[in-house]
Amino acid sequence: MPWQSLSSLFVVMTMFNVTPLLVSGIHYIGYGKKKELGLPSNEWNYRMEKRDEMYKRIEKEVRKSMK
């Protein structure tokens, strides 16, 4: 590999490291929480958050009806 290709190799290696950093930063700014790795874990946590919201809503309704 000639030395002239080192600059382009440096750019490619830098982008492979900067792109995930930008994606996780944008995700943190948009959602206010750290991006987790892996699609199954993201789907699981999303469903658990929706479940918890539903439980809290139902709990409010039940407590209001008990008064």
Side-chain angles (χ1 to χ4, degrees):
M1 177 168 73
W3 65 270
Q4 291 91 347
S5 62
L6 287 178
S7 62
S8 58
L9 183 62
F10 176 73
V11 168
V12 170
M13 289 174 59
T14 304
M15 286 297 104
F16 270 111
N17 292 308
V18 169
T19 302
L21 181 65
L22 288 174
V23 168
S24 63
I26 291 169
H27 187 275
Y28 184 77
I29 290 170
Y31 293 103
K33 57 185 173 184
K34 188 176 168 185
K35 181 167 176 52
E36 298 178 21
L37 298 176
L39 292 175
S41 123
N42 283 340
E43 181 68 21
W44 173 262
N45 291 335
Y46 173 77
R47 289 178 187 263
M48 291 297 109
E49 286 175 10
K50 291 299 178 188
R51 181 202 66 176
D52 293 343
E53 289 173 7
M54 182 184 65
Y55 283 166
K56 288 177 184 176
R57 182 177 45 83
I58 292 172
E59 180 186 11
K60 278 183 182 178
E61 291 173 6
V62 169
R63 290 191 187 275
K64 189 169 33 170
S65 69
M66 290 174 67
K67 289 182 181 183

Short mmCIF file of all heavy atoms in Angstrom, two decimals:
data_model
loop_
_atom_site.label_atom_id
_atom_site.label_comp_id
_atom_site.label_asym_id
_atom_site.label_seq_id
_atom_site.Cartn_x
_atom_site.Cartn_y
_atom_site.Cartn_z
N MET A 1 0.85 -1.17 0.00
CA MET A 1 0.00 0.00 0.00
C MET A 1 0.90 1.24 0.00
O MET A 1 1.73 1.40 0.88
CB MET A 1 -0.89 -0.02 1.25
CG MET A 1 -1.76 1.18 1.39
SD MET A 1 -3.03 1.05 2.65
CE MET A 1 -2.12 1.17 4.15
N PRO A 2 0.72 2.10 -0.97
CA PRO A 2 1.56 3.31 -1.01
C PRO A 2 1.16 4.29 0.09
O PRO A 2 0.03 4.29 0.57
CB PRO A 2 1.27 3.89 -2.39
CG PRO A 2 0.00 3.28 -2.84
CD PRO A 2 -0.13 1.98 -2.12
N TRP A 3 2.09 5.11 0.47
CA TRP A 3 1.86 6.04 1.57
C TRP A 3 0.80 7.08 1.24
O TRP A 3 0.19 7.66 2.13
CB TRP A 3 3.16 6.70 1.99
CG TRP A 3 3.76 7.59 0.93
CD1 TRP A 3 4.63 7.23 -0.04
CD2 TRP A 3 3.51 8.98 0.76
NE1 TRP A 3 4.94 8.30 -0.83
CE2 TRP A 3 4.26 9.40 -0.35
CE3 TRP A 3 2.73 9.90 1.43
CZ2 TRP A 3 4.25 10.70 -0.81
CZ3 TRP A 3 2.71 11.21 0.98
CH2 TRP A 3 3.48 11.59 -0.13
N GLN A 4 0.53 7.31 -0.05
CA GLN A 4 -0.47 8.31 -0.43
C GLN A 4 -1.89 7.87 -0.05
O GLN A 4 -2.78 8.71 0.07
CB GLN A 4 -0.43 8.57 -1.95
CG GLN A 4 0.79 9.26 -2.43
CD GLN A 4 1.89 8.28 -2.83
OE1 GLN A 4 1.82 7.09 -2.52
NE2 GLN A 4 2.92 8.78 -3.50
N SER A 5 -2.09 6.60 0.16
CA SER A 5 -3.44 6.13 0.51
C SER A 5 -3.71 6.20 2.01
O SER A 5 -4.82 5.90 2.44
CB SER A 5 -3.64 4.71 0.00
OG SER A 5 -2.73 3.84 0.63
N LEU A 6 -2.73 6.60 2.80
CA LEU A 6 -2.93 6.69 4.24
C LEU A 6 -3.97 7.74 4.63
O LEU A 6 -4.73 7.53 5.58
CB LEU A 6 -1.61 6.98 4.94
CG LEU A 6 -0.62 5.82 4.99
CD1 LEU A 6 0.66 6.26 5.67
CD2 LEU A 6 -1.23 4.65 5.72
N SER A 7 -4.02 8.83 3.90
CA SER A 7 -5.00 9.87 4.25
C SER A 7 -6.43 9.36 4.03
O SER A 7 -7.30 9.59 4.87
CB SER A 7 -4.75 11.14 3.45
OG SER A 7 -4.91 10.87 2.07
N SER A 8 -6.68 8.67 2.93
CA SER A 8 -8.03 8.16 2.69
C SER A 8 -8.36 7.04 3.68
O SER A 8 -9.49 6.92 4.14
CB SER A 8 -8.20 7.67 1.26
OG SER A 8 -7.24 6.67 0.98
N LEU A 9 -7.37 6.23 4.04
CA LEU A 9 -7.59 5.19 5.04
C LEU A 9 -7.92 5.82 6.40
O LEU A 9 -8.80 5.34 7.12
CB LEU A 9 -6.35 4.30 5.14
CG LEU A 9 -6.43 3.12 6.09
CD1 LEU A 9 -7.52 2.16 5.63
CD2 LEU A 9 -5.09 2.41 6.17
N PHE A 10 -7.25 6.90 6.72
CA PHE A 10 -7.52 7.62 7.96
C PHE A 10 -8.94 8.17 7.98
O PHE A 10 -9.64 8.08 8.99
CB PHE A 10 -6.51 8.76 8.13
CG PHE A 10 -6.77 9.61 9.33
CD1 PHE A 10 -6.50 9.14 10.61
CD2 PHE A 10 -7.31 10.88 9.18
CE1 PHE A 10 -6.75 9.92 11.71
CE2 PHE A 10 -7.56 11.67 10.28
CZ PHE A 10 -7.27 11.19 11.56
N VAL A 11 -9.40 8.73 6.86
CA VAL A 11 -10.76 9.27 6.77
C VAL A 11 -11.79 8.16 6.95
O VAL A 11 -12.76 8.31 7.71
CB VAL A 11 -10.97 10.00 5.43
CG1 VAL A 11 -12.44 10.32 5.19
CG2 VAL A 11 -10.13 11.25 5.37
N VAL A 12 -11.58 7.03 6.30
CA VAL A 12 -12.53 5.92 6.41
C VAL A 12 -12.57 5.38 7.84
O VAL A 12 -13.64 5.15 8.40
CB VAL A 12 -12.16 4.80 5.41
CG1 VAL A 12 -12.96 3.55 5.67
CG2 VAL A 12 -12.37 5.28 3.99
N MET A 13 -11.43 5.20 8.46
CA MET A 13 -11.39 4.69 9.83
C MET A 13 -12.04 5.68 10.80
O MET A 13 -12.73 5.28 11.73
CB MET A 13 -9.95 4.40 10.24
CG MET A 13 -9.38 3.18 9.54
SD MET A 13 -7.65 2.89 9.87
CE MET A 13 -7.63 2.71 11.63
N THR A 14 -11.83 6.96 10.57
CA THR A 14 -12.44 7.98 11.42
C THR A 14 -13.95 7.96 11.29
O THR A 14 -14.66 8.03 12.29
CB THR A 14 -11.88 9.37 11.06
OG1 THR A 14 -10.46 9.35 11.17
CG2 THR A 14 -12.45 10.43 11.96
N MET A 15 -14.44 7.84 10.09
CA MET A 15 -15.89 7.82 9.88
C MET A 15 -16.54 6.58 10.49
O MET A 15 -17.66 6.64 10.99
CB MET A 15 -16.24 7.91 8.40
CG MET A 15 -16.02 9.28 7.81
SD MET A 15 -17.08 10.53 8.57
CE MET A 15 -15.99 11.39 9.63
N PHE A 16 -15.84 5.47 10.47
CA PHE A 16 -16.38 4.26 11.11
C PHE A 16 -16.51 4.46 12.62
O PHE A 16 -17.32 3.79 13.26
CB PHE A 16 -15.49 3.05 10.84
CG PHE A 16 -15.87 2.28 9.61
CD1 PHE A 16 -15.06 2.29 8.50
CD2 PHE A 16 -17.05 1.56 9.57
CE1 PHE A 16 -15.40 1.58 7.37
CE2 PHE A 16 -17.42 0.85 8.44
CZ PHE A 16 -16.58 0.87 7.34
N ASN A 17 -15.76 5.35 13.19
CA ASN A 17 -15.85 5.62 14.62
C ASN A 17 -16.74 6.81 14.95
O ASN A 17 -17.37 6.84 16.00
CB ASN A 17 -14.45 5.85 15.20
CG ASN A 17 -13.62 4.59 15.19
OD1 ASN A 17 -14.06 3.56 15.66
ND2 ASN A 17 -12.44 4.67 14.62
N VAL A 18 -16.80 7.78 14.06
CA VAL A 18 -17.59 8.99 14.32
C VAL A 18 -19.07 8.75 14.08
O VAL A 18 -19.91 9.25 14.83
CB VAL A 18 -17.07 10.16 13.46
CG1 VAL A 18 -18.01 11.34 13.48
CG2 VAL A 18 -15.68 10.56 13.92
N THR A 19 -19.41 7.97 13.07
CA THR A 19 -20.81 7.74 12.73
C THR A 19 -21.60 7.12 13.88
O THR A 19 -22.67 7.63 14.22
CB THR A 19 -20.92 6.89 11.45
OG1 THR A 19 -20.24 7.55 10.39
CG2 THR A 19 -22.36 6.67 11.06
N PRO A 20 -21.13 6.05 14.52
CA PRO A 20 -21.90 5.53 15.66
C PRO A 20 -22.01 6.53 16.80
O PRO A 20 -23.04 6.57 17.49
CB PRO A 20 -21.11 4.30 16.11
CG PRO A 20 -20.27 3.93 14.96
CD PRO A 20 -20.01 5.18 14.21
N LEU A 21 -20.99 7.32 16.99
CA LEU A 21 -21.04 8.35 18.03
C LEU A 21 -22.13 9.37 17.73
O LEU A 21 -22.90 9.76 18.62
CB LEU A 21 -19.68 9.04 18.15
CG LEU A 21 -19.56 10.12 19.22
CD1 LEU A 21 -19.71 9.49 20.59
CD2 LEU A 21 -18.24 10.82 19.09
N LEU A 22 -22.23 9.79 16.48
CA LEU A 22 -23.28 10.74 16.09
C LEU A 22 -24.67 10.13 16.23
O LEU A 22 -25.59 10.79 16.72
CB LEU A 22 -23.06 11.20 14.65
CG LEU A 22 -21.88 12.15 14.42
CD1 LEU A 22 -21.71 12.40 12.93
CD2 LEU A 22 -22.08 13.44 15.16
N VAL A 23 -24.81 8.87 15.82
CA VAL A 23 -26.12 8.22 15.91
C VAL A 23 -26.56 8.11 17.37
O VAL A 23 -27.71 8.41 17.71
CB VAL A 23 -26.08 6.84 15.24
CG1 VAL A 23 -27.31 6.02 15.58
CG2 VAL A 23 -25.94 6.98 13.74
N SER A 24 -25.65 7.70 18.25
CA SER A 24 -26.04 7.57 19.65
C SER A 24 -26.30 8.94 20.27
O SER A 24 -27.19 9.09 21.10
CB SER A 24 -24.96 6.82 20.44
OG SER A 24 -23.75 7.54 20.43
N GLY A 25 -25.55 9.96 19.86
CA GLY A 25 -25.79 11.31 20.37
C GLY A 25 -27.14 11.86 19.94
O GLY A 25 -27.86 12.45 20.74
N ILE A 26 -27.50 11.64 18.69
CA ILE A 26 -28.79 12.09 18.18
C ILE A 26 -29.92 11.34 18.90
O ILE A 26 -30.94 11.92 19.25
CB ILE A 26 -28.87 11.91 16.65
CG1 ILE A 26 -27.92 12.91 15.98
CG2 ILE A 26 -30.29 12.08 16.15
CD1 ILE A 26 -27.71 12.67 14.51
N HIS A 27 -29.72 10.05 19.13
CA HIS A 27 -30.73 9.27 19.84
C HIS A 27 -30.90 9.79 21.27
O HIS A 27 -32.02 9.89 21.76
CB HIS A 27 -30.32 7.80 19.87
CG HIS A 27 -31.36 6.89 20.44
ND1 HIS A 27 -31.48 6.66 21.78
CD2 HIS A 27 -32.33 6.19 19.85
CE1 HIS A 27 -32.48 5.84 22.00
NE2 HIS A 27 -33.02 5.53 20.84
N TYR A 28 -29.81 10.12 21.92
CA TYR A 28 -29.88 10.63 23.29
C TYR A 28 -30.59 11.99 23.34
O TYR A 28 -31.41 12.24 24.22
CB TYR A 28 -28.49 10.75 23.90
CG TYR A 28 -28.52 11.17 25.34
CD1 TYR A 28 -28.84 10.26 26.34
CD2 TYR A 28 -28.25 12.48 25.71
CE1 TYR A 28 -28.88 10.64 27.66
CE2 TYR A 28 -28.30 12.87 27.03
CZ TYR A 28 -28.61 11.95 28.01
OH TYR A 28 -28.67 12.33 29.32
N ILE A 29 -30.30 12.83 22.38
CA ILE A 29 -30.95 14.15 22.33
C ILE A 29 -32.45 13.98 22.05
O ILE A 29 -33.28 14.65 22.66
CB ILE A 29 -30.30 15.05 21.26
CG1 ILE A 29 -28.89 15.45 21.71
CG2 ILE A 29 -31.15 16.27 20.97
CD1 ILE A 29 -28.08 16.13 20.64
N GLY A 30 -32.80 13.08 21.15
CA GLY A 30 -34.19 12.90 20.78
C GLY A 30 -35.03 12.21 21.84
O GLY A 30 -36.18 12.59 22.07
N TYR A 31 -34.48 11.18 22.47
CA TYR A 31 -35.26 10.38 23.42
C TYR A 31 -34.89 10.61 24.87
O TYR A 31 -35.59 10.14 25.77
CB TYR A 31 -35.13 8.90 23.09
CG TYR A 31 -35.74 8.52 21.77
CD1 TYR A 31 -34.95 8.29 20.65
CD2 TYR A 31 -37.11 8.41 21.64
CE1 TYR A 31 -35.51 7.95 19.44
CE2 TYR A 31 -37.69 8.08 20.43
CZ TYR A 31 -36.89 7.84 19.33
OH TYR A 31 -37.45 7.53 18.13
N GLY A 32 -33.78 11.25 25.12
CA GLY A 32 -33.38 11.54 26.49
C GLY A 32 -32.83 10.35 27.25
O GLY A 32 -32.75 10.36 28.46
N LYS A 33 -32.48 9.29 26.54
CA LYS A 33 -31.89 8.13 27.19
C LYS A 33 -30.88 7.49 26.25
O LYS A 33 -30.91 7.68 25.03
CB LYS A 33 -32.95 7.12 27.60
CG LYS A 33 -33.81 6.63 26.48
CD LYS A 33 -34.89 5.74 27.03
CE LYS A 33 -35.86 5.40 25.91
NZ LYS A 33 -36.97 4.63 26.37
N LYS A 34 -30.00 6.73 26.83
CA LYS A 34 -28.92 6.12 26.08
C LYS A 34 -29.44 5.04 25.14
O LYS A 34 -30.35 4.29 25.49
CB LYS A 34 -27.95 5.51 27.09
CG LYS A 34 -26.69 4.99 26.52
CD LYS A 34 -25.79 4.51 27.63
CE LYS A 34 -24.64 3.72 27.06
NZ LYS A 34 -23.82 3.15 28.10
N LYS A 35 -28.89 4.97 23.95
CA LYS A 35 -29.30 3.95 22.99
C LYS A 35 -28.71 2.61 23.41
O LYS A 35 -27.53 2.51 23.70
CB LYS A 35 -28.82 4.31 21.59
CG LYS A 35 -29.23 3.30 20.54
CD LYS A 35 -29.02 3.86 19.17
CE LYS A 35 -29.31 2.87 18.08
NZ LYS A 35 -30.59 2.23 18.16
N GLU A 36 -29.56 1.60 23.42
CA GLU A 36 -29.09 0.28 23.78
C GLU A 36 -28.69 -0.48 22.53
O GLU A 36 -29.18 -0.20 21.44
CB GLU A 36 -30.19 -0.46 24.52
CG GLU A 36 -30.55 0.23 25.82
CD GLU A 36 -31.66 -0.48 26.54
OE1 GLU A 36 -31.89 -1.66 26.28
OE2 GLU A 36 -32.29 0.18 27.35
N LEU A 37 -27.83 -1.44 22.71
CA LEU A 37 -27.37 -2.23 21.58
C LEU A 37 -28.31 -3.40 21.35
O LEU A 37 -28.81 -4.00 22.29
CB LEU A 37 -25.96 -2.74 21.84
CG LEU A 37 -24.90 -1.66 22.01
CD1 LEU A 37 -23.57 -2.29 22.34
CD2 LEU A 37 -24.78 -0.84 20.75
N GLY A 38 -28.51 -3.73 20.12
CA GLY A 38 -29.30 -4.90 19.77
C GLY A 38 -30.77 -4.58 19.59
O GLY A 38 -31.39 -3.94 20.42
N LEU A 39 -31.33 -5.06 18.50
CA LEU A 39 -32.74 -4.80 18.23
C LEU A 39 -33.67 -5.52 19.19
O LEU A 39 -34.66 -4.94 19.62
CB LEU A 39 -33.06 -5.19 16.78
CG LEU A 39 -32.41 -4.31 15.72
CD1 LEU A 39 -32.70 -4.85 14.34
CD2 LEU A 39 -32.90 -2.90 15.84
N PRO A 40 -33.42 -6.79 19.57
CA PRO A 40 -34.35 -7.44 20.50
C PRO A 40 -34.45 -6.72 21.84
O PRO A 40 -35.52 -6.61 22.41
CB PRO A 40 -33.78 -8.84 20.67
CG PRO A 40 -32.97 -9.09 19.46
CD PRO A 40 -32.44 -7.73 19.08
N SER A 41 -33.33 -6.23 22.33
CA SER A 41 -33.35 -5.54 23.61
C SER A 41 -34.13 -4.24 23.49
O SER A 41 -34.88 -3.87 24.39
CB SER A 41 -31.92 -5.32 24.08
OG SER A 41 -31.61 -4.02 24.30
N ASN A 42 -33.99 -3.52 22.38
CA ASN A 42 -34.74 -2.28 22.19
C ASN A 42 -36.24 -2.56 22.13
O ASN A 42 -37.03 -1.84 22.73
CB ASN A 42 -34.31 -1.57 20.91
CG ASN A 42 -33.01 -0.86 21.05
OD1 ASN A 42 -32.57 -0.57 22.15
ND2 ASN A 42 -32.37 -0.58 19.94
N GLU A 43 -36.63 -3.60 21.40
CA GLU A 43 -38.04 -3.95 21.28
C GLU A 43 -38.60 -4.37 22.63
O GLU A 43 -39.71 -3.98 23.01
CB GLU A 43 -38.21 -5.08 20.25
CG GLU A 43 -39.64 -5.50 20.03
CD GLU A 43 -40.48 -4.44 19.36
OE1 GLU A 43 -39.94 -3.54 18.71
OE2 GLU A 43 -41.71 -4.51 19.51
N TRP A 44 -37.84 -5.15 23.37
CA TRP A 44 -38.29 -5.62 24.69
C TRP A 44 -38.50 -4.43 25.63
O TRP A 44 -39.53 -4.33 26.29
CB TRP A 44 -37.25 -6.58 25.27
CG TRP A 44 -37.52 -6.98 26.68
CD1 TRP A 44 -36.97 -6.45 27.80
CD2 TRP A 44 -38.44 -7.97 27.13
NE1 TRP A 44 -37.47 -7.05 28.92
CE2 TRP A 44 -38.38 -8.00 28.53
CE3 TRP A 44 -39.31 -8.84 26.48
CZ2 TRP A 44 -39.15 -8.85 29.29
CZ3 TRP A 44 -40.07 -9.70 27.25
CH2 TRP A 44 -39.98 -9.70 28.63
N ASN A 45 -37.53 -3.54 25.69
CA ASN A 45 -37.64 -2.38 26.58
C ASN A 45 -38.79 -1.46 26.16
O ASN A 45 -39.47 -0.89 27.01
CB ASN A 45 -36.33 -1.62 26.64
CG ASN A 45 -35.26 -2.40 27.35
OD1 ASN A 45 -35.55 -3.27 28.17
ND2 ASN A 45 -34.02 -2.13 27.03
N TYR A 46 -38.99 -1.31 24.86
CA TYR A 46 -40.10 -0.48 24.37
C TYR A 46 -41.44 -1.07 24.84
O TYR A 46 -42.30 -0.36 25.34
CB TYR A 46 -40.05 -0.40 22.85
CG TYR A 46 -41.25 0.28 22.24
CD1 TYR A 46 -41.38 1.66 22.27
CD2 TYR A 46 -42.27 -0.46 21.63
CE1 TYR A 46 -42.48 2.29 21.72
CE2 TYR A 46 -43.37 0.15 21.08
CZ TYR A 46 -43.47 1.52 21.13
OH TYR A 46 -44.56 2.15 20.59
N ARG A 47 -41.58 -2.37 24.69
CA ARG A 47 -42.83 -3.02 25.10
C ARG A 47 -43.02 -2.94 26.62
O ARG A 47 -44.15 -2.77 27.10
CB ARG A 47 -42.87 -4.46 24.63
CG ARG A 47 -43.04 -4.59 23.14
CD ARG A 47 -43.02 -6.04 22.70
NE ARG A 47 -43.02 -6.15 21.26
CZ ARG A 47 -44.12 -6.36 20.55
NH1 ARG A 47 -45.29 -6.46 21.14
NH2 ARG A 47 -44.04 -6.46 19.25
N MET A 48 -41.94 -3.05 27.38
CA MET A 48 -42.05 -2.96 28.84
C MET A 48 -42.43 -1.56 29.28
O MET A 48 -43.21 -1.38 30.21
CB MET A 48 -40.74 -3.38 29.51
CG MET A 48 -40.40 -4.85 29.38
SD MET A 48 -41.61 -5.91 30.16
CE MET A 48 -42.41 -6.64 28.74
N GLU A 49 -41.93 -0.54 28.59
CA GLU A 49 -42.30 0.84 28.92
C GLU A 49 -43.78 1.07 28.62
O GLU A 49 -44.49 1.70 29.42
CB GLU A 49 -41.46 1.82 28.11
CG GLU A 49 -40.04 1.93 28.59
CD GLU A 49 -39.19 2.81 27.70
OE1 GLU A 49 -39.75 3.49 26.80
OE2 GLU A 49 -37.96 2.81 27.89
N LYS A 50 -44.27 0.56 27.49
CA LYS A 50 -45.68 0.70 27.15
C LYS A 50 -46.54 -0.04 28.16
O LYS A 50 -47.60 0.44 28.57
CB LYS A 50 -45.97 0.19 25.73
CG LYS A 50 -45.37 1.04 24.66
CD LYS A 50 -45.92 2.43 24.72
CE LYS A 50 -45.31 3.32 23.68
NZ LYS A 50 -45.69 4.71 23.86
N ARG A 51 -46.10 -1.23 28.59
CA ARG A 51 -46.84 -1.99 29.59
C ARG A 51 -46.92 -1.21 30.90
O ARG A 51 -47.98 -1.11 31.51
CB ARG A 51 -46.15 -3.33 29.83
CG ARG A 51 -46.88 -4.20 30.83
CD ARG A 51 -45.98 -5.21 31.43
NE ARG A 51 -44.96 -4.50 32.22
CZ ARG A 51 -44.05 -5.13 32.94
NH1 ARG A 51 -43.99 -6.43 32.94
NH2 ARG A 51 -43.17 -4.44 33.63
N ASP A 52 -45.79 -0.64 31.33
CA ASP A 52 -45.77 0.11 32.58
C ASP A 52 -46.67 1.34 32.52
O ASP A 52 -47.35 1.67 33.49
CB ASP A 52 -44.34 0.52 32.93
CG ASP A 52 -43.47 -0.68 33.28
OD1 ASP A 52 -44.02 -1.76 33.56
OD2 ASP A 52 -42.23 -0.52 33.27
N GLU A 53 -46.69 2.02 31.37
CA GLU A 53 -47.58 3.17 31.21
C GLU A 53 -49.03 2.75 31.33
O GLU A 53 -49.84 3.43 31.97
CB GLU A 53 -47.35 3.83 29.85
CG GLU A 53 -46.03 4.57 29.73
CD GLU A 53 -45.78 5.06 28.33
OE1 GLU A 53 -46.69 4.95 27.46
OE2 GLU A 53 -44.67 5.55 28.08
N MET A 54 -49.38 1.60 30.73
CA MET A 54 -50.75 1.12 30.80
C MET A 54 -51.10 0.76 32.25
O MET A 54 -52.18 1.10 32.73
CB MET A 54 -50.92 -0.12 29.92
CG MET A 54 -52.34 -0.65 29.90
SD MET A 54 -52.51 -2.16 28.96
CE MET A 54 -51.53 -3.29 29.94
N TYR A 55 -50.18 0.10 32.97
CA TYR A 55 -50.44 -0.24 34.38
C TYR A 55 -50.65 1.01 35.22
O TYR A 55 -51.54 1.04 36.07
CB TYR A 55 -49.28 -1.05 34.96
CG TYR A 55 -49.25 -2.50 34.55
CD1 TYR A 55 -48.11 -3.26 34.75
CD2 TYR A 55 -50.34 -3.11 33.96
CE1 TYR A 55 -48.07 -4.60 34.39
CE2 TYR A 55 -50.31 -4.44 33.58
CZ TYR A 55 -49.17 -5.18 33.81
OH TYR A 55 -49.14 -6.48 33.45
N LYS A 56 -49.86 2.03 35.00
CA LYS A 56 -50.00 3.27 35.76
C LYS A 56 -51.34 3.95 35.46
O LYS A 56 -51.99 4.48 36.37
CB LYS A 56 -48.84 4.21 35.47
CG LYS A 56 -47.54 3.75 36.10
CD LYS A 56 -46.40 4.65 35.74
CE LYS A 56 -45.10 4.09 36.30
NZ LYS A 56 -43.95 4.88 35.90
N ARG A 57 -51.74 3.93 34.19
CA ARG A 57 -53.03 4.54 33.81
C ARG A 57 -54.18 3.78 34.46
O ARG A 57 -55.10 4.40 35.03
CB ARG A 57 -53.17 4.52 32.29
CG ARG A 57 -54.45 5.17 31.80
CD ARG A 57 -54.54 5.20 30.28
NE ARG A 57 -54.17 3.96 29.63
CZ ARG A 57 -55.02 2.92 29.47
NH1 ARG A 57 -56.24 2.98 29.93
NH2 ARG A 57 -54.62 1.84 28.84
N ILE A 58 -54.12 2.46 34.43
CA ILE A 58 -55.18 1.66 35.04
C ILE A 58 -55.18 1.84 36.56
O ILE A 58 -56.25 1.92 37.18
CB ILE A 58 -55.02 0.17 34.65
CG1 ILE A 58 -55.31 0.00 33.17
CG2 ILE A 58 -55.93 -0.71 35.48
CD1 ILE A 58 -54.99 -1.36 32.62
N GLU A 59 -53.99 1.94 37.15
CA GLU A 59 -53.91 2.15 38.60
C GLU A 59 -54.57 3.47 38.99
O GLU A 59 -55.29 3.54 39.98
CB GLU A 59 -52.45 2.14 39.03
CG GLU A 59 -52.26 2.36 40.51
CD GLU A 59 -50.81 2.50 40.92
OE1 GLU A 59 -49.94 2.62 40.03
OE2 GLU A 59 -50.55 2.50 42.13
N LYS A 60 -54.33 4.53 38.20
CA LYS A 60 -54.97 5.82 38.48
C LYS A 60 -56.49 5.70 38.43
O LYS A 60 -57.20 6.23 39.28
CB LYS A 60 -54.51 6.87 37.48
CG LYS A 60 -53.20 7.50 37.77
CD LYS A 60 -52.94 8.57 36.73
CE LYS A 60 -51.60 9.22 36.95
NZ LYS A 60 -51.32 10.22 35.91
N GLU A 61 -56.99 5.00 37.40
CA GLU A 61 -58.44 4.84 37.25
C GLU A 61 -59.02 4.07 38.43
O GLU A 61 -60.09 4.43 38.95
CB GLU A 61 -58.75 4.14 35.94
CG GLU A 61 -58.46 4.96 34.71
CD GLU A 61 -58.63 4.18 33.43
OE1 GLU A 61 -59.09 3.01 33.48
OE2 GLU A 61 -58.29 4.72 32.36
N VAL A 62 -58.34 3.01 38.85
CA VAL A 62 -58.85 2.20 39.96
C VAL A 62 -58.83 3.00 41.24
O VAL A 62 -59.80 2.98 42.02
CB VAL A 62 -58.03 0.90 40.10
CG1 VAL A 62 -58.35 0.18 41.39
CG2 VAL A 62 -58.27 -0.01 38.90
N ARG A 63 -57.76 3.72 41.51
CA ARG A 63 -57.68 4.52 42.73
C ARG A 63 -58.74 5.61 42.74
O ARG A 63 -59.31 5.94 43.78
CB ARG A 63 -56.29 5.11 42.90
CG ARG A 63 -55.26 4.06 43.23
CD ARG A 63 -53.95 4.70 43.64
NE ARG A 63 -52.91 3.71 43.80
CZ ARG A 63 -52.71 3.02 44.94
NH1 ARG A 63 -53.50 3.21 45.96
NH2 ARG A 63 -51.73 2.14 45.01
N LYS A 64 -59.00 6.22 41.56
CA LYS A 64 -60.01 7.27 41.47
C LYS A 64 -61.40 6.68 41.73
O LYS A 64 -62.23 7.29 42.40
CB LYS A 64 -59.97 7.94 40.10
CG LYS A 64 -60.83 9.16 40.03
CD LYS A 64 -60.67 10.03 38.80
CE LYS A 64 -60.33 9.33 37.54
NZ LYS A 64 -60.41 10.20 36.35
N SER A 65 -61.65 5.46 41.23
CA SER A 65 -62.96 4.85 41.42
C SER A 65 -63.14 4.37 42.87
O SER A 65 -64.28 4.19 43.32
CB SER A 65 -63.15 3.68 40.47
OG SER A 65 -62.30 2.61 40.81
N MET A 66 -62.06 4.15 43.60
CA MET A 66 -62.17 3.70 44.99
C MET A 66 -62.51 4.85 45.92
O MET A 66 -63.01 4.61 47.02
CB MET A 66 -60.86 3.05 45.42
CG MET A 66 -60.59 1.72 44.77
SD MET A 66 -58.98 1.05 45.14
CE MET A 66 -59.14 0.69 46.88
N LYS A 67 -62.26 6.08 45.53
CA LYS A 67 -62.53 7.24 46.39
C LYS A 67 -63.99 7.57 46.46
O LYS A 67 -64.82 7.29 45.75
CB LYS A 67 -61.75 8.45 45.93
CG LYS A 67 -60.28 8.30 46.21
CD LYS A 67 -59.56 9.55 45.77
CE LYS A 67 -58.06 9.36 46.05
NZ LYS A 67 -57.33 10.54 45.72
#
